[in-house]
Amino acid sequence: MYDAGQYDVIVIGAGHAGCEAGLAAARMGAKTLMLTLNLDLVAFMPCNPSIGGPAKGVVVREIDALGGEMGKNIDKTHIQMRMLNTSKGPAVRALRAQADKVLYQQEMKKTLENQENLTLRQGMVDRLIVEDGVCKGVITETKAAYYAQSVVITTGTFMRGKVLIGDIEYESGPNNQRPSVKLSEHLEELGFELIRFKTGTPPRVNSHTIDYSKTEIQPGDDEPRAFSYETTEFITDQIPCWLTYTGEFTHKIIDENLHRSSMYSGMVKGTGPRYCPSIEDKVVRFHDKPRHQIFLEPEGRNTDEVYVQGLSTSMPEDIQKRLLETIPGLEKAELMRAGYAIEYDAIVPTQLWPTLETKKIKGLYTAGQINGTSGYEEAAGQGIMAGINAAAKALDKEPVILDRSQAYIGVLIDDLVTKGTNEPYRLLTSRAEYRLLLRHDNADLRLTDIGYQIGLISEERYRIFQEKKQLIEEEKKRLDKVIIKPTEKVQTMLKDAGGASLKEAVRANDFLKRPEITYEMLKTLTPPEQQLPADVEEQVEIQVKYEGYIKKSLQQVERMKKMEDKKIPSDLDYDAIQGLATEAKEKLKKVRPLSVGQASRISGVNPSDISILLVYLEQGKIARVSSS
Amino acid sequence: MDTDTIAAISTPIGEGAISIVRMSGPDSIEIASKVFKGKNLKEAASHTIHYGKLIHPETKETVEEVMVTVMKSPKTFTREDIVEINCHGGFVSVNRVLELILENGARLAEPGEFTKRAFLNGRIDLSQAEAVIDLIRAKTDRAMNMALKQMDGRLSRLIQSLRQKLLETLAHVEVNIDYPEYDDVEEMTLEVMKTKTNQVHEEIEQLLQTARQGKILREGIGTAIIGRPNVGKSSLLNALAHENKAIVTDIPGTTRDVIEEYVNVRGVPLRLIDTAGIRETEDIVEKIGVERSRKVLKEADLVLLVLNYGDEWTEEDENLFKAVEGMDVIVIVNKTDLPRKINMDQVKERSKQYSLVTTSLIQEKGIDELEQAIADLFFEGDLDAGDLTYVSNVRHIQLLKEAKQSLGDAISGIEAGMPIDVVQIDVTRAWEILGEIVGDTVSDSLIDQLFSQFCLGK
């Protein structure tokens, strides 16, 4: 073993969590080392070539508002982008991009390489250096010992990864990379509780062999879109995706060969996600459904590989080929890579503080799929927070915890550390109680201040942000003063829009609250002094139109805040509290919530337990566990 | 820590001449002022008591004649502003006062919550900590058990089915949002959402109607005794009252200038209406006759129509029968100790859709049969209140009202053209509130529903 140097922060892994963690730490001024198994696979997308979607797309914007990279990177490397849920309300609109996988990796790698304070190195970490319950560094398989103030593990699905295709299984990370076995064993030695999860991926086929005439085209939006608030250059030459369906024969082959699927033969031990089932799962669970959608997604501009979204499977290769033959457009499709299931170790996330630091070992953080989530965006969202907090620790700054009303990232992390998860966790909009506040359009308004305070947002960007904020407030104020009279022009406008006529003069903001009136229309009646940027107009419209609902949500947040503000010492001795129900006591001891609000979200902790907890906290008669 | 205002009845219900409804919290005085007619409570000095009336702010109806005590923070039991409303004893008055307070911004206190607040605000000494914990534990557990026991199995099933209806709608909307390209189900439209929401809204409204009828059970079945002078109304009253230890509630000068008495007949609570009228008029020459009866009948759920065995059928009797048409009636032919003058065939013919009992109240004969007739009527479901999924728990009623309000908000949202995911906020809230009634607050059930109802892939 040799001393390979001292850093502030070490990040193990350079996937979507690792990249955000490393960049955030380095940008905050921490001397950062990123260690990854394979430098050619930085920010690799082992599964679907897309980023964003409902809830996930909002996370990408949140990462951007905090000064992260995912949004900028996909803005530079996508092949198409679409705004989803445009027919619905502003709270659930979301962007999704199809990525050029290789370009995405290259671009991210370039960003890492150019980042000051950041060292990128290939290497497999086998062990952590832990002294007196504090993580001091890592040791690689090449016997290099790196020392640091804090360490972030972002190993994804690599820990004791095992690939399964039919009755074949072998130890492997995704896409036949080397798995990380020793680190997993080492974490168990250190006393961490691990769980076994499973996920899967569909086959890829050659684009030249697809008969697209039998499929439906799915183009990107004509309007230029971007995730990052800083993006000014837009990609215009987009590539479409294609839609086709499974059918009766597909399902028949699955039925007949179910025993050959690794998942149904009993080979797979890990728990898979319900929201991303394999095709065999879909056919078994929804047997009466005559067809399932299959999306054909190009993996990039310079490749002919096409991702067969919706056909995730652990069937043997010969069956996979036969399945493809039953799908319109894919009858002659050439299989390039077979789909597979992958099992891996994750750590039970209730072992983490909301900062993503482990409770067991100080200075050790985990982020991404290792924490039981799935999805690039979920990984990146945790990555940036773990990076921020690891750097904060090293640089002796305050940690940052986002709450459930501030960001989807807050919802995600709170769910993980408070409730844990018994399947790979995916963000859904329904997991957020304040969905109307956590919109994709206002991520900057919610989080730029925080990003600026921790040093991830530049002065220039912050100045532009403040100008935007000011313009929004000024325009809202103006609309509160302007009076719209029932003139002929107004009545005609209302009539054309299918609304009831105006009986008496109203304030412009009340006029805008009418469902048939848009800001665009209002502007023609009362133009602002100067033309406002589109994002300012959008904000004004949303904030005015949904004011009542937003207020209601804010009141809920106020109520929640009171409970969140009641802090619980992390070393509270729950055994010394009389009257707590046994189940509640066990759960509280395990989760060790930092606030009464968090405690109240633990399943099995009842209102009476919370009352008792409050009594103890209020009286200051608190027993603490001795630090031993 | 809490900034909401809580209220509860703080005296045993049904006992004593006076009951007290207590409120604690920053809005106590504000809420009391809203419904109190008398001195301006906001200007009242702390620890003073004031006479006045409680007026329903919308209907302007007088609810109760009360004495209100104002005690300002911090020198109070909870160290918060406290208002105590002294009203007449008995079930009716105090429940009505509590409901009025809850409708105007207070929240029903959890068991032991006043004590808890006293404790949290440092009013109670530290050494009492464990006693308070025991109290919270015991009261909460007992209240939970009681609530569960109290809850009719049918009510619980009904609420569960309403929740399921909402949940399926919610899951449908969620699928549209989280899986926008998922083509298995058509888009949930505002129209469909409105239909579903309306259905549940109406069912809750019906439940609340039955709650009002449940209130009949809590407050007693309004029972009118009618009949010509000297048929034995007073004796009947005394017989029922004597046998069953009547509780007399005196409400002079408030909503009704009547005296009510409560009797429990074989488990059926009867609220006897205008007993004073009966007692007074029985001795003096009664002039009002049918006119008075009509007034009493308006309030009645059950009519005891008394005829005289020893007198002939009169036009007045006929008029009484006409007046009670369509109501639940028991016909009592009293004074069988006298020689028969009434035509019993005529009586039977006229009473064929009613129960018919013959009594001699003076000889204490036929009282058992009468009581049985009342019990039969109630338990066999002839009387409306007997066959209901009824809600009697004040907390349940309050939560149902809140759920209904949320659904009402959702419907207004739909009518105002709000997007479906915005409207859904209110529907979700209603679903959560209904969950509080049946004690189901597991927040993951929506996601479970999502995955079991739909086949999701992308």
Side-chain angles (χ1 to χ4, degrees), chain B residues 4 28 38 155 166 174 183-184 191 205 214 236 239 254 283 336 357 362 375 381 390 398 404 410 423 438 440:
Chain B
D4 55 352
S28 298
L155 174 63
L166 291 180
E174 293 300 338
D183 70 347
D184 194 34
E191 287 81 72
E205 175 56 33
L236 175 59
T254 57
D283 297 330
T336 54
V357 183
I362 286 182
Y390 75 91
Q398 196 55 33
K404 194 184 128 197
V423 171
V438 291
D440 181 5

Side-chain angles (χ1 to χ4, degrees), chain A residues 54 82 85 88-89 96 274-275 277 285-286 289 293 297 429-430 435 515 552 562 579 608 611 615, chain B residues 3 116 119 133 137 174 176-179 181 183-184 187 416 419 421 424 426 448 451 454-456 458:
Chain A
R82 289 176 67 191
N85 286 332
K88 303 189 184 77
R96 193 182 58 215
R274 284 175 297 175
Y275 48 81
R285 289 186 51 225
F286 295 88
K289 214 186 148 188
Q293 285 165 310
E297 304 177 352
T429 62
S430 49
R435 180 156 82 189
K552 218 189 295 188
K562 266 177 236 146
S608 55
S611 292
V615 166
Chain B
T3 56
K116 185 176 119 191
F119 188 87
I133 285 167
R137 180 97 259 164
E174 293 300 338
N176 291 158
I177 293 167
D178 276 325
Y179 296 87
E181 284 153 326
D183 70 347
D184 194 34
E187 190 94 350
D421 52 280
Q424 199 203 7
D426 288 318
D448 291 338
F451 293 125
F454 302 100
C455 172
L456 303 167
K458 181 139 178 160

Side-chain angles (χ1 to χ4, degrees), chain B residues 317-338:
Chain B
D317 289 325
E318 183 57 36
N319 284 339
L320 287 172
F321 269 93
K322 279 184 184 154
V324 300
E325 232 157 71
M327 299 182 71
D328 286 305
V329 179
I330 295 175
V331 179
I332 299 154
V333 184
N334 188 28
K335 301 198 179 181
T336 54
D337 46 300
L338 295 179

Side-chain angles (χ1 to χ4, degrees), chain B residues 50-341:
Chain B
H50 308 277
Y51 167 81
K53 286 178 181 175
L54 295 188
I55 311 279
H56 196 287
E58 277 151 36
T59 64
K60 305 293 174 206
E61 183 197 358
T62 302
V63 176
E64 252 294 65
E65 191 181 19
V66 293
M67 300 287 284
V68 174
T69 312
V70 176
M71 288 168 278
K72 289 185 181 163
S73 166
K75 286 187 177 171
T76 68
F77 175 57
T78 56
R79 292 209 163 161
E80 300 173 336
D81 286 348
I82 285 188
V83 171
E84 286 184 353
I85 300 174
N86 294 254
C87 59
H88 291 93
F91 317 94
V92 192
S93 329
V94 72
N95 271 321
R96 212 180 276 151
V97 170
L98 180 61
E99 269 179 42
L100 183 70
I101 296 300
L102 295 179
E103 277 170 19
N104 282 283
R107 166 174 72 72
L108 190 67
E110 304 286 336
E113 197 170 1
F114 286 97
T115 318
K116 185 176 119 191
R117 286 195 176 192
F119 188 87
L120 295 184
N121 293 328
R123 175 69 173 70
I124 296 178
D125 188 64
L126 180 64
S127 62
Q128 288 169 275
E130 266 132 41
V132 172
I133 285 167
D134 287 345
L135 186 78
I136 292 170
R137 180 97 259 164
K139 283 210 181 185
T140 313
D141 290 350
R142 197 174 61 205
M144 261 161 81
N145 288 338
M146 276 190 30
L148 285 178
K149 271 187 204 155
Q150 264 179 17
M151 200 187 308
D152 189 308
R154 274 179 298 183
L155 174 63
S156 168
R157 281 196 295 278
L158 190 63
I159 302 248
Q160 295 287 15
S161 84
L162 292 181
R163 291 195 84 214
Q164 188 58 27
K165 249 181 226 175
L166 291 180
L167 190 61
E168 281 164 17
T169 313
L170 291 171
H172 197 145
V173 178
E174 293 300 338
V175 164
N176 291 158
I177 293 167
D178 276 325
Y179 296 87
E181 284 153 326
Y182 173 62
D183 70 347
D184 194 34
V185 273
E186 69 266 50
E187 190 94 350
M188 170 66 88
T189 61
L190 280 171
E191 287 81 72
V192 178
M193 180 95 159
K194 191 176 172 184
T195 313
K196 303 253 181 194
T197 310
N198 261 326
Q199 277 170 8
V200 178
H201 188 263
E202 271 166 33
E203 289 197 50
I204 291 180
E205 175 56 33
Q206 274 174 20
L207 255 181
L208 282 169
Q209 292 285 355
T210 71
R212 259 156 243 149
Q213 303 202 34
K215 219 161 76 184
I216 292 175
L217 295 187
R218 205 170 63 242
E219 296 180 358
I221 295 170
T223 307
I225 300 173
I226 61 166
R228 287 188 290 127
N230 276 319
V231 293
K233 297 196 291 287
S234 185
S235 308
L236 175 59
L237 179 65
N238 289 337
L240 290 172
H242 178 72
E243 291 277 307
N244 301 293
K245 290 190 184 121
I247 301 164
V248 181
T249 313
D250 188 0
I251 324 175
T254 57
T255 51
R256 299 181 298 260
D257 220 343
V258 292
I259 290 178
E260 294 176 341
E261 293 186 28
Y262 287 86
V263 295
N264 191 311
V265 175
R266 300 194 181 182
V268 182
L270 298 189
R271 177 166 52 89
L272 300 171
I273 305 166
D274 195 18
T275 54
I278 293 169
R279 289 201 166 97
E280 282 162 19
T281 54
E282 195 76 354
D283 297 330
I284 56 167
V285 182
E286 189 174 354
K287 298 174 274 186
I288 319 162
V290 175
E291 274 316 300
R292 192 194 66 85
S293 297
R294 281 191 203 282
K295 185 182 159 202
V296 171
L297 284 176
K298 265 196 204 164
E299 288 185 39
D301 306 303
L302 171 65
V303 179
L304 303 179
L305 197 166
V306 190
L307 301 170
N308 191 341
Y309 186 79
D311 202 352
E312 288 189 9
W313 179 273
T314 68
E315 202 186 326
E316 216 173 327
D317 289 325
E318 183 57 36
N319 284 339
L320 287 172
F321 269 93
K322 279 184 184 154
V324 300
E325 232 157 71
M327 299 182 71
D328 286 305
V329 179
I330 295 175
V331 179
I332 299 154
V333 184
N334 188 28
K335 301 198 179 181
T336 54
D337 46 300
L338 295 179
R340 182 179 63 80
K341 282 192 184 165

